[in-house]
């Protein structure tokens, strides 16, 4: 079904509107649609339906409305859409079936095109988005307090979309065509400064400067009469530019223009234009501060032992004109993860911001699963929402040499424009300065490969409009309010789509069974599939079946999954190298258990350890994505290795058994078990911190 709220309420099934006609059921379904995929409390629905005070039968009546709605949905193929939940109801529908979501996505794309210098594309997208609006949102639905707030927000969103489309038209030189539309808009919005500014620019460029000045005079008169206020600083500066017959940008938004950084050898054309429009004196920054026009260069640090000159407290904060854009290049052929991107994006940039803390999302998963690719792609999708900059920091937490957090803070503060001499030495003071610098900014920070929450906390910004995307090879428990995402391998169709993007859909469709085998042999791991796909792309005539047969016969398949600097085994080696020796031994030995599933009891019997000790080892492995929980059965938890992780563990076990070495009884038992023999149980070692501490295989 298709749901429409941008105009009259509609529920379309094959083009037929099946929405209820009675007023109160329409209110109920409208609120459920606006709060889709989230529980709407019964009390909220009752307040929406009976603002003046609910009748005694309110709950029963509401249940009747819900029953009728469920019958409508069931008749039109929506049997599983409307759910009863404790305390309320949930309408579970994909975002793509809502016209509002499609418009929001289009507007984000259009704004991004505008900000990246493609006004023609932006104009096309934004005009198409506006055409979807048929009337004011929910125009034929009775609105209580909640629905009224949603309708108001949607009208504001529509107004902003129109402003963006007008901006695109001005940048394309369509000023004459805009004059009549803008004159109509300012009549219906007599105090809207942005629309008046756009009309003034359009008139000025059409050779009608006297009319543009009259628009300002009339707006100023209305604002003083109705509000007792003068027009804002930007509009006054535009007025001065018109009086001086100076060129003005479309629309006149000095903060957005001045955020551009000057290229080597001189200021950018846009910055020069802004400076010319504003005069050669001070010019406004993105946050509305007055900053000198000179470039903020990095000043040498004060020598050790020398007195530090006094610095005013507010001058320690970076100039808002410094706008970093440090994201790595996006992955051109990024595939899948659509629902995840929507879910994380909604968390980081909610439609209705609330709270005072920065939004944090933690993407965790095994090596090669695509954490960095997802974080980078997501950051590019969201960057237009963070106009004050996007930072990217590699923490190297899974390597043998993780970054020092003090140095990372130094790097981040430099990127934000803080001079060397103003950066304190201690970790705590640098963290405080970061929070001060970001308190009023819209900043996106990507922290790649974090190792622990303790390393992350000093790097969290201080503004409620900031967002942080973290990646890690282990679950980072303890970050309050963070959205934790466990990234799994690709689902079957997604794995095939990634392979097709690398070798071509036509080639894949010629050998579909071989393609499915390749995805399975690569464990549906994105990095493994890129290695396989890259190898096939380099040899266009090589049959997929032949490569699948070669990989299936390989005694060390992980060694085959390598292409240039893409190396699946290297990621597993790094993961394995960070384990204690006793955990390494347990990791190898557990691969002797059934590959599909095993219990903690079976693991304890194999390792000869007490069950609580082994459970702690298994929990560590689960949190590091070495094993996963596959099901719960009669109180038992069943574990299993991911496909490639199991192969890696077996290869480690085989290489250990093949080399003569001093070994503990646990490994001896493993060797005997392979020959069908039994070993005498070992004494229990209760070293819980080490886990499997008596297994001492080198």
């Amino acid at each position: 079904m298709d749901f429409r709220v941008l105009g009259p309420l509609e529920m379309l099934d094959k083009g037929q509107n099946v929405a209820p006609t009675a007023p109160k059921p329409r209110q109920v379904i409208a609120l459920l649609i606006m709060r889709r995929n989230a529980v709407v409390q019964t009390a909220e629905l009752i307040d929406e339906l009976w603002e003046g005070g609910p009748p005694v039968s309110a709950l029963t009546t509401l249940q009747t409305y819900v029953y009728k709605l469920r019958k409508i949905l069931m008749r039109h193929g929506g049997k599983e859409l409307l759910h009863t939940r404790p305390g309320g109801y949930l309408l579970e529908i994909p975002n793509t079936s809502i016209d509002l979501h499609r418009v929001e996505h289009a507007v984000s794309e259009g704004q991004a095109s505008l900000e990246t210098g493609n006004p023609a594309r932006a104009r096309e997208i934004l005009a198409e988005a506006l055409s979807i609006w048929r009337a004011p949102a929910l125009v034929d639905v009775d609105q209580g307090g909640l629905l009224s707030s949603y309708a108001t927000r949607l009208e504001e969103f529509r107004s902003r979309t129109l402003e963006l489309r007008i901006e695109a038209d001005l940048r394309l030189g369509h000023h004459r065509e805009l004059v009549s539309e803008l004159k109509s808009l300012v009549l219906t919005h007599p105090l809207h400064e942005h629309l008046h500014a756009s009309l003034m620019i359009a008139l000025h460029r059409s050779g009608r400067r006297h009319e543009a000045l009259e628009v300002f005079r009339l707006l100023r008169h209305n604002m003083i009469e109705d509000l007792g206020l003068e027009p804002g600083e930007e509009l006054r500066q535009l007025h001065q530019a018109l009086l001086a017959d100076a060129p003005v940008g479309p629309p006149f938004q000095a903060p957005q223009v001045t955020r551009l950084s000057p290229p080597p050898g001189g200021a950018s054309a846009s910055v020069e234009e802004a400076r010319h429009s504003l005069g050669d004196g001070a010019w406004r920054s993105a946050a509305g501060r007055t900053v000198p026009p000179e470039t903020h260069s990095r000043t040498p640090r004060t020598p050790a032992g020398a007195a530090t000159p006094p610095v005013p407290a507010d001058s320690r904060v970076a100039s808002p004109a410094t706008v970093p854009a440090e994201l790595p290049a996006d992955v051109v052929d990024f595939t899948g993860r659509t629902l995840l991107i929507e879910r994380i994006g909604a968390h980081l940039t909610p439609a209705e911001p609330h709270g005072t803390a920065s939004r944090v999302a933690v993407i965790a998963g095994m090596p090669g699963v695509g954490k960095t690719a997802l974080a980078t792609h997501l950051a590019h999708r969201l960057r237009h929402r963070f106009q004050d900059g996007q930072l990217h920091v590699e923490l190297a937490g899974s390597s043998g040499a993780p970054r020092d957090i003090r140095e990372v803070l130094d790097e981040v503060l430099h990127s934000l424009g803080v001079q060397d001499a103003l950066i304190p030495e201690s970790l705590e003071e640098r963290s405080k300065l970061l929070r001060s610098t970001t308190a009023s900014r819209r900043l996106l920070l990507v922290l790649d490969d974090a190792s622990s929450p303790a390393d992350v906390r000093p790097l969290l910004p201080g503004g409620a409009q900031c967002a942080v995307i973290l990646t890690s090879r282990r679950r980072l428990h303890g970050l309050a309010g963070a959205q934790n995402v466990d990234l799994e391998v690709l689902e079957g169709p997604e794995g095939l789509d990634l392979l097709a993007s690398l070798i071509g859909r036509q080639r894949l469709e010629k050998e579909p069974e071989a393609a499915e085998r390749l995805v399975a042999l690569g464990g549906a791991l994105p990095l493994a599939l890129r290695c396989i796909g890259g190898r096939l792309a380099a040899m266009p005539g090589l049959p997929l079946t032949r490569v699948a047969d070669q990989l299936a016969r390989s005694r060390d398949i992980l060694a085959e999954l390598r292409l240039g600097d893409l190396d699946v085994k290297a990621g597993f080696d790094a993961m394995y190298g960070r384990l204690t020796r006793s955990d390494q031994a347990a990791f190898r030995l557990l691969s002797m258990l059934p590959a599909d599933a095993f219990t903690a009891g079976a693991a304890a019997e194999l390792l000869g350890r007490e069950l609580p000790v082994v459970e702690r080892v298994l929990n560590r492995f689960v949190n590091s994505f070495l094993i996963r929980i596959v099901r719960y059965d009669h109180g038992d938890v069943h574990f299993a290795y991911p496909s490639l992780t199991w192969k890696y563990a077996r290869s480690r076990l085989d290489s250990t058994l093949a080399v003569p070495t001093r070994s503990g009884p646990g490994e001896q038992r493993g060797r005997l078990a392979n020959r069908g023999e039994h070993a005498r149980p070992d004494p229990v070692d209760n070293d819980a911190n080490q886990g499997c501490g008596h297994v001492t295989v080198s």
Side-chain angles (χ1 to χ4, degrees), residues 569-588:
K569 192 171 186 177
F572 283 95
D573 286 339
M575 169 194 70
Y576 181 78
R578 290 179 64 82
L579 301 177
T580 63
R581 291 188 65 188
S582 57
D583 277 2
Q584 287 179 349
F587 174 71
R588 296 191 299 265

Side-chain angles (χ1 to χ4, degrees), residues 164-235:
L164 289 170
R165 200 225 72 211
I166 290 171
E167 179 177 347
D169 275 322
L170 285 172
R171 292 192 182 189
L172 290 169
H174 300 165
H175 37 272
R176 287 185 175 86
E177 296 87 339
L178 280 172
V179 168
S180 59
E181 180 184 7
L182 286 168
K183 281 190 172 184
S184 175
L185 287 170
V186 298
L187 286 174
T188 55
H189 300 81
L191 302 176
H192 197 301
E193 293 187 50
H194 188 97
L195 290 175
H196 282 77
S198 297
L199 177 57
M200 290 166 67
I201 292 169
L203 288 167
H204 176 55
R205 290 183 173 183
S206 301
R208 299 157 67 175
R209 184 157 58 105
H210 65 289
E211 292 184 51
L213 293 171
E214 178 62 19
V215 169
F216 177 82
R217 187 198 65 77
L218 184 59
L219 171 66
R220 181 174 181 271
H221 172 79
N222 290 338
M223 291 187 68
I224 292 173
E225 285 290 320
D226 295 348
L227 306 176
L229 297 173
E230 288 278 354
E233 179 66 20
E234 291 179 11
L235 203 60

Side-chain angles (χ1 to χ4, degrees), residues 267-282:
S268 69
S270 296
V271 173
E272 287 300 327
E273 180 182 346
R275 193 174 295 177
H276 176 72
S277 299
L278 295 173
D280 291 330

Side-chain angles (χ1 to χ4, degrees), residues 87 247 274 341 410 446 448 511 587 607 629:
I341 290 171
D410 183 79
V446 180
D448 195 21
E511 300 180 79
F587 174 71
L607 300 176
I629 297 174

